[in-house]
Amino acid sequence: MVFVLPGVKFDLDMIKKYDTPAPRYTSYPPATELNTEFTVTDFHAAIAASNYRKSPLSLYFHIPFCETACYFCGCNTVISQNKNIAKPYLEHLIREIKHMVTLIDPHRQVLQVHWGGGTPNYLDHHQIKFLWENITKNFNIHPQAEISIEINPSYVDQEYILFLRQLGFNRISFGIQDFNHQVQLAVNRLQPEEQLFNVMSWIKAAKFDSVNVDLIYGLPHQTLQTFQETVKKTIQLDPNRIVVFNFAYVPWMKPAQKNIPQAALPQPQEKLEILKMTIEELTSNKYLFIGMDHFAKHNDELAIAQQNRTLQRNFQGYTTHGGTELLGFGATSISMLNDAYVQNHKPLKNYYQAIATDILPISKGIKLSQDDMIRRDVIMSIMSHFHLNKQDIEDKYHICFDEYFSHELKALATPAADQLLQISTNQIQVTDIGRLLVRNIAVIFDSYHQTTQQRFSRTI
């Protein structure tokens, strides 16, 4: 059965056939390939090479703290209601910043700054300002830079929102997940509807440039009817971007998910119906379907970037600043340079110990090979634009695409026969049916996937 939606065809038979585990490809190689053989010396060399390229920067700052645990969460968090825990963390974070800036060319401009978590608004006004001033003092922030922050709407008031805007933040994101009280109760994320609408009104009054909200389908007690109500209420909020995540139930990786009543999770058929309804509702209400889980208004920078083929992916998802190199700060954060990915220590104890000895607090990383970078360009083009120009790869890397990827082109014959993509002499084009299954297409070019022992979430 095929349902035609704007820009996508929802083919239930194909979705069932291809609904298998695969990486989300916020990077290639996936973060699961980072290893402890990568050293601080390797990172120093990668930064030096990055300075030579003189590419602009994106900065990510991880604030890991949350007052309570959301059971669905896949992020690296520290749960504590003792706010004093943030003080030593910020002190070490500033030391990390000061160490890093001694290695970075001071002329490199920062085009993007993002604070994530955890819950960045776990910090009070003084702490927010303290960190912000240290960032602006140590980095060359472009006057028109995108400055974004994630917030938990349960812990802000109008004055806090206005404070963030006046300080310099121009983009903001918050998680809704689901408006339904029963669902919220099951995942330990209680957010009254009135509260969510109040927060959005405060954000708009403060004149943020863009607002992003997150929804999650596949949570316990969700039904087609209840989630349709959530989608309609989200449309009433009128955000610039909406991200609709497929809940990845991975309790072997995220122990907090063991608190979720597994029997209450919607069955696969209902999840598909929820996804179809969500795409239909959003695309019929002036949101474009961007990538595999993002929706944006037609005039949003994300939509414009996809139209101009400048959209990229990094560890934060889709980004309009694909030409930048990403530096991550704080426990568990990831830096993403052109030819190296590096992750900081996750446990605060290990992170603090490294900082105290004036060592960059990395725990693992990976140096990309030429083959990694070729495959990365192929996978990211497919994931971001649903299209690949073979000539672009050939010109950049001086290879014959069809010879280099002869094995992969044979493997693509099956999804091509299923009308998920079209292959011509010069192009690979994902069809409207294939858009929802783009991860299944991208994985064919992943040389790690056949050998990795990691367990990934299902594609739908």
Side-chain angles (χ1 to χ4, degrees):
M1 185 179 297
V2 178
F3 301 95
V4 180
L5 302 173
V8 60
K9 288 185 179 178
F10 199 94
D11 190 317
L12 290 174
D13 294 331
M14 287 300 105
I15 288 173
K16 291 176 182 178
K17 177 178 179 178
Y18 285 91
D19 186 21
T20 56
R24 295 183 64 84
Y25 294 116
T26 51
S27 72
Y28 183 84
T32 49
E33 298 304 322
L34 274 60
N35 61 79
T36 55
E37 295 177 6
F38 190 95
T39 66
V40 172
T41 301
D42 294 326
F43 193 21
H44 280 220
I47 294 171
S50 175
N51 284 332
Y52 182 78
R53 287 187 294 271
K54 299 185 184 301
S55 51
L57 296 171
S58 290
L59 306 179
Y60 172 75
F61 298 90
H62 190 71
I63 310 299
F65 308 112
C66 295
E67 290 194 37
T68 57
C70 301
Y71 298 154
F72 58 80
C73 183
C75 300
N76 293 293
T77 60
V78 176
I79 309 302
S80 177
Q81 294 188 1
N82 177 14
K83 293 295 189 73
N84 292 328
I85 197 172
K87 185 176 185 294
Y89 182 80
L90 287 177
E91 292 171 350
H92 286 83
L93 184 58
I94 300 307
R95 286 186 64 175
E96 182 188 3
I97 291 171
K98 291 181 177 179
H99 188 162
M100 182 66 79
V101 296
T102 65
L103 306 174
I104 297 294
D105 181 344
H107 296 99
R108 296 178 70 180
Q109 283 198 318
V110 174
L111 301 184
Q112 188 178 43
V113 179
H114 182 72
W115 293 21
T119 306
N121 58 301
Y122 186 94
L123 305 179
D124 62 29
H125 290 65
H126 174 75
Q127 292 168 330
I128 290 272
K129 186 176 181 181
F130 173 69
L131 178 55
W132 174 248
E133 288 177 344
N134 273 277
I135 293 170
T136 55
K137 181 171 60 177
N138 285 286
F139 290 99
N140 180 18
I141 311 292
H142 190 280
Q144 302 302 317
E146 176 183 301
I147 315 293
S148 60
I149 187 170
E150 301 170 12
I151 64 166
N152 184 325
S154 296
Y155 305 111
V156 293
D157 55 21
Q158 186 168 14
E159 192 273 334
Y160 195 103
I161 293 293
L162 184 60
F163 167 75
L164 292 175
R165 184 70 184 97
Q166 291 174 339
L167 196 62
F169 290 94
N170 50 38
R171 294 176 180 270
I172 197 165
S173 174
F174 65 93
I176 295 173
Q177 323 315 347
D178 197 304
F179 274 93
N180 184 272
H181 179 76
Q182 185 182 21
V183 176
Q184 291 182 3
L185 191 64
V187 297
N188 200 38
R189 175 86 173 205
L190 293 175
Q191 298 176 150
E193 179 178 328
E194 181 181 6
Q195 179 186 69
L196 294 170
F197 274 85
N198 282 340
V199 169
M200 181 61 87
S201 69
W202 300 336
I203 291 171
K204 291 188 175 183
K207 300 188 183 302
F208 277 79
D209 294 344
S210 179
V211 189
N212 175 92
V213 300
D214 297 339
L215 303 178
I216 299 179
Y217 74 97
L219 294 177
H221 304 298
Q222 282 180 341
T223 67
L224 176 62
Q225 180 180 356
T226 63
F227 201 71
Q228 186 168 26
E229 293 172 0
T230 283
V231 172
K232 288 182 178 296
K233 289 174 182 176
T234 302
I235 292 170
Q236 291 175 25
L237 285 177
D238 194 34
N240 303 83
R241 301 175 187 175
I242 302 171
V243 185
V244 184
F245 292 114
N246 171 19
F247 173 55
Y249 183 68
V250 287
W252 57 89
M253 293 176 60
K254 299 297 177 182
Q257 292 186 358
K258 295 177 182 178
N259 294 300
I260 289 177
Q262 187 176 1
L265 296 173
Q267 294 300 306
Q269 180 65 32
E270 183 146 34
K271 277 188 69 176
L272 291 178
E273 292 174 356
I274 289 172
L275 177 60
K276 172 185 174 293
M277 174 277 301
T278 301
I279 296 172
E280 187 173 26
E281 287 283 352
L282 295 179
T283 53
S284 63
N285 281 277
K286 299 181 180 180
Y287 286 94
L288 291 177
F289 184 38
I290 308 292
M292 61 183 186
D293 45 26
H294 283 54
F295 298 81
K297 290 186 176 181
H298 293 66
N299 60 350
D300 186 86
E301 289 183 2
L302 210 61
I304 295 170
Q306 188 182 58
Q307 294 164 9
N308 295 337
R309 298 194 184 279
T310 57
L311 188 68
Q312 296 287 339
R313 282 179 72 75
N314 63 20
F315 288 111
Q316 298 162 28
Y318 287 102
T319 176
T320 59
H321 294 277
T324 62
E325 294 188 85
L326 173 66
L327 294 177
F329 297 86
T332 201
S333 65
I334 298 178
S335 295
M336 190 175 184
L337 305 181
N338 181 61
D339 57 358
Y341 307 151
V342 184
Q343 184 167 30
N344 282 354
H345 289 290
K346 293 183 181 181
L348 291 186
K349 178 182 177 182
N350 296 26
Y351 174 73
Y352 291 166
Q353 285 177 343
I355 297 292
T357 54
D358 289 324
I359 299 174
L360 289 177
I362 71 168
S363 63
K364 54 186 176 179
I366 186 171
K367 171 72 174 177
L368 275 64
S369 67
Q370 178 85 341
D371 180 67
D372 289 335
M373 290 189 280
I374 293 172
R375 292 177 183 274
R376 176 181 63 189
D377 281 5
V378 171
I379 288 172
M380 293 307 161
S381 181
I382 291 171
M383 292 293 299
S384 298
H385 310 300
F386 306 105
H387 172 269
L388 175 72
N389 187 314
K390 296 180 185 179
Q391 191 67 49
D392 290 344
I393 302 298
E394 292 181 336
D395 291 346
K396 183 174 180 179
Y397 294 105
H398 308 292
I399 62 172
C400 173
F401 188 94
D402 288 357
E403 290 180 6
Y404 195 94
F405 290 109
S406 58
H407 175 75
E408 288 79 7
L409 288 171
K410 290 179 182 177
L412 287 174
T414 298
D418 287 332
Q419 300 182 12
L420 303 189
L421 69 151
Q422 297 172 344
I423 305 174
S424 64
T425 302
N426 298 317
Q427 300 181 73
I428 296 175
Q429 179 69 51
V430 179
T431 65
D432 288 351
I433 292 176
R435 290 188 69 172
L436 286 175
L437 298 165
V438 66
R439 289 163 68 186
N440 301 85
I441 297 170
V443 78
I444 292 173
F445 292 93
D446 183 346
S447 65
Y448 296 90
H449 189 66
Q450 299 303 320
T451 58
T452 184
Q453 298 301 308
Q454 297 289 338
R455 299 170 71 179
F456 296 102
S457 63
R458 302 183 77 84
T459 54
I460 296 292

